[in-house]
Amino acid sequence: MSAAIRRACVAALLLAVATPLAAQAPATSAPEYDVVIRNGRVLDGAGNPWIVADVAIRDGKFARIGTVRGRGKTEIDARGRYVSPGWIDMMDQSGSVLPRNPLAENKLGMGVTTAIGGEGGTPVPASEIPAYFQRLETQGISINFGTYFSETQARVPVLGRSARAPNAAELERMRAIMDTAMRAGAMGMTTALIYPPSSYAKTDELAEVAKVAGQYGGFYASHIRGEGADVVGAVREAIAVGERGGLPVEIFHLKVAHRPGWGKLMAEVRDTIEAARARGVDVAADMYVYTAGGTGLEATIPSWAHEGGNDSLKARLASPEVRARLKKELTTGSPGWWNIVEAAGGWDGIVLANARDPKSARFHGKGLAAIAKELGKDPADAAWDLVAAGNGRVMAIYHMMGEPDIETALRFPWTSIGSDAGAALSAGAADELGLPHPRSYGNHVRVISRYVRERKVLTLEEAVRKMTSWPATRMRLAGRGAIQVGNWADVTIFDLATLDDRATYEAPTRSPAGIDWVLVNGVVVLDHGKHTGAKPGQVLRGPGAAPTTR
């Protein structure tokens, strides 16, 4: 064959091969992905150092990580920003507000894509949980949401607000209610043991009801019985419930609210939890990153006075003899009651946040000691008169924790992050609790802006792990918490240089800065810090739910 003929054959062959390839990938091909995030510093959530990579998303899940040549219907340039798995709020209070405001603007504004609620249980009885979940799914929600069921929700239908222990038959009825809740998709059983009537439940009762949740693979999560001088004993009780009930234990909002114990008790808590873990107890804790807590002002009243409910409490507060006894117990203590006044260092450390009474609104932001002086009353009387006059739960801020203890607890590898705050009914408003606390708008951002960038308590990678892969692993949230091909594409994109929680005790509903984009299940929900109106969130049912509903 001549050289000319050979060249002609080669040219024909090349043309035959090249032509169909060009047809397969024309310049005007449709986008290959739903979203492509380009050029970001990708933090996988597992604690690894960041890498510069593109992240492609298709059908709600991560499809490719690395160099992505295909286009996305939506393209996000994350150059100079960090791309993290969406942040998880391990102690949320949004259960009752999501049916009314599914957008959860304050949650998304601080990078939260998934929230686990239910310290006080579900907002409906056990038998109504399926319909509640169905409503959330039908109307749509902007964040992923799961919830616990409270032991108190099993107790009150059987015992009312009585302080007595259940008999054997009553206990079985309580266990049956918990069984219904677990099969409906609750994530486990909670308690809030400083608040009546939850505080009336003893360890034996808790362990017996917890066994039901444990049979379905659920958790025992607790606002423990004391967070002050008796915090170590309260942690031990929670661990005992988990051991006897056969289920993992989550300590809600870990803290030491006792000034004499600052710098000492947190180490004892650590040793107690790590000793339990060493013998095989699956126990861990979550926390918020503020030195003040927030709860109802009625928490300043010993537990026995609450028996029978709010009307009974107000009747007792009207009695001078009862008031005298209550004031004495502020000094002597009272069985089954955590003295939160002592924890706050006295009435000066308690600030009125929401009086639920227009006549007393002028006192918002003032300490109870100052309010009492202005009214010419004893501080206890001033506080309890506010409780009696409030049309709803009167809320207060309690300054009772030490900064070094927060930093110590953040370093524990088994702590995750929970805000103890709910979604607001509208952007810029206080959360559903009616408690204007900066944790509602700034908690998760503050973990990074204050404790990574400013105080260098944590590395960025470790802080992100505590808000992503660790809580997802902890809660058995399959396919979440890490940027990994096949996982659900929950994403928070932030600018570390400008990240700022901004909310303060004086301006608690100020939105943070530095969160640029948030995606939930592959859908952009926050774009340049603005809510898009999208509602791609999923209901996260617990392990007891039927497989078709999980």
Side-chain angles (χ1 to χ4, degrees), residues 196-247:
S198 185
S199 61
Y200 302 146
K202 301 298 188 288
T203 308
D204 288 346
E205 173 188 326
L206 299 178
E208 287 303 310
V209 182
K211 286 178 182 178
V212 178
Q215 289 168 2
Y216 289 98
F219 275 72
Y220 173 56
S222 182
H223 178 150
I224 55 178
R225 204 175 292 275
E227 297 175 319
D230 54 350
V231 63
V232 175
V235 168
R236 288 188 180 125
E237 180 190 32
I239 292 169
V241 171
E243 284 192 283
R244 292 169 57 181
L247 70 177

Side-chain angles (χ1 to χ4, degrees), residues 102-104 108 140-143 520 523-526 531-537:
L103 300 182
L108 289 157
I141 49 178
S142 293
I143 59 174
V520 176
V523 177
V524 178
V525 180
L526 215 67
H531 203 298
T532 65
K535 295 180 287 186

Side-chain angles (χ1 to χ4, degrees), residues 170-513:
E170 290 166 337
L171 185 60
E172 280 308 305
R173 288 170 58 195
M174 293 165 60
R175 286 166 51 86
I177 293 170
M178 184 59 63
D179 185 88
T180 298
M182 291 302 299
R183 287 187 289 106
M187 289 190 158
M189 181 183 102
T190 53
T191 54
L193 295 173
I194 74 164
Y195 304 112
S198 185
S199 61
Y200 302 146
K202 301 298 188 288
T203 308
D204 288 346
E205 173 188 326
L206 299 178
E208 287 303 310
V209 182
K211 286 178 182 178
V212 178
Q215 289 168 2
Y216 289 98
F219 275 72
Y220 173 56
S222 182
H223 178 150
I224 55 178
R225 204 175 292 275
E227 297 175 319
D230 54 350
V231 63
V232 175
V235 168
R236 288 188 180 125
E237 180 190 32
I239 292 169
V241 171
E243 284 192 283
R244 292 169 57 181
L247 70 177
V249 178
E250 179 75 6
I251 306 297
F252 278 150
H253 48 53
L254 180 65
K255 64 173 73 74
V256 171
H258 180 62
R259 186 180 291 270
W262 291 355
K264 294 178 280 189
L265 289 176
M266 189 61 78
E268 293 185 40
V269 168
R270 176 202 60 213
D271 293 345
T272 301
I273 289 176
E274 292 187 351
R277 290 183 64 84
R279 65 176 184 267
V281 183
D282 185 357
V283 55
D286 55 71
M287 59 184 294
Y288 54 78
V289 287
Y290 295 87
T291 56
T295 192
L297 192 57
E298 85 287 344
T300 64
I301 302 170
S303 299
W304 64 266
H306 297 257
E307 185 173 6
N310 197 48
D311 289 342
S312 297
L313 172 64
K314 289 187 176 183
R316 292 185 182 106
L317 290 178
S319 164
E321 292 78 12
V322 170
R323 289 261 183 143
R325 176 182 169 183
L326 294 173
K327 289 177 187 177
K328 182 179 180 181
E329 291 176 349
L330 287 173
T331 302
T332 64
S334 177
W337 174 63
W338 175 48
N339 189 339
I340 199 170
V341 181
E342 178 187 58
W347 294 102
D348 278 326
I350 304 174
V351 176
L352 182 66
N354 186 346
R356 309 278 192 182
D357 177 14
K359 296 176 183 177
S360 299
R362 71 186 188 277
F363 296 129
H364 290 172
K366 293 185 178 182
L368 265 296
I371 295 171
K373 184 176 181 180
E374 186 173 336
L375 294 174
K377 296 180 178 180
D378 177 87
D381 286 322
W384 301 339
D385 287 349
L386 287 165
V387 170
N391 183 24
R393 194 180 185 201
V394 178
M395 305 303 290
I397 301 291
Y398 297 79
H399 293 273
M400 53 190 179
M401 284 83 80
E403 182 69 46
D405 283 342
I406 292 176
E407 296 185 2
T408 296
L410 273 174
R411 292 187 180 100
F412 300 156
W414 36 260
T415 50
S416 57
I417 305 302
S419 68
D420 194 12
L425 273 172
S426 60
D431 76 355
E432 175 67 359
L433 298 176
L435 175 63
H437 191 297
R439 66 194 183 194
S440 302
Y441 282 77
N443 187 65
H444 282 64
V445 169
R446 186 176 175 86
V447 171
I448 294 177
S449 64
R450 180 171 176 83
Y451 294 98
V452 172
R453 192 184 60 216
E454 295 176 13
R455 300 184 70 87
K456 304 188 187 315
V457 174
L458 300 173
T459 65
L460 178 60
E461 293 83 359
E462 175 65 1
V464 168
R465 184 190 71 85
K466 284 178 172 291
M467 299 193 291
T468 58
S469 69
W470 168 232
T473 298
R474 176 81 179 130
M475 297 304 300
R476 287 66 163 166
L477 303 179
R480 298 194 187 274
I483 296 180
Q484 179 178 318
V485 172
N487 276 7
W488 288 103
D490 298 331
V491 183
T492 297
I493 302 173
F494 63 94
D495 182 346
L496 181 60
T498 63
L499 199 66
D500 185 1
D501 51 289
R502 298 184 71 233
T504 64
Y505 295 110
E506 295 73 30
T509 60
R510 189 181 291 157
S511 295

Side-chain angles (χ1 to χ4, degrees), residues 116-184:
I116 309 299
E119 177 197 22
T122 58
V124 296
S127 61
E128 297 177 23
I129 293 174
Y132 167 73
F133 283 158
Q134 184 62 54
R135 177 181 174 183
L136 294 181
E137 290 173 328
T138 300
Q139 71 173 34
I141 49 178
S142 293
I143 59 174
N144 304 309
F145 178 73
T147 181
Y148 297 99
F149 186 79
S150 173
E151 197 268 351
T152 304
Q153 290 181 280
R155 185 179 219 277
V156 170
V158 178
L159 297 178
R161 300 184 70 87
S162 166
R164 69 176 178 84
N167 60 35
E170 290 166 337
L171 185 60
E172 280 308 305
R173 288 170 58 195
M174 293 165 60
R175 286 166 51 86
I177 293 170
M178 184 59 63
D179 185 88
T180 298
M182 291 302 299
R183 287 187 289 106

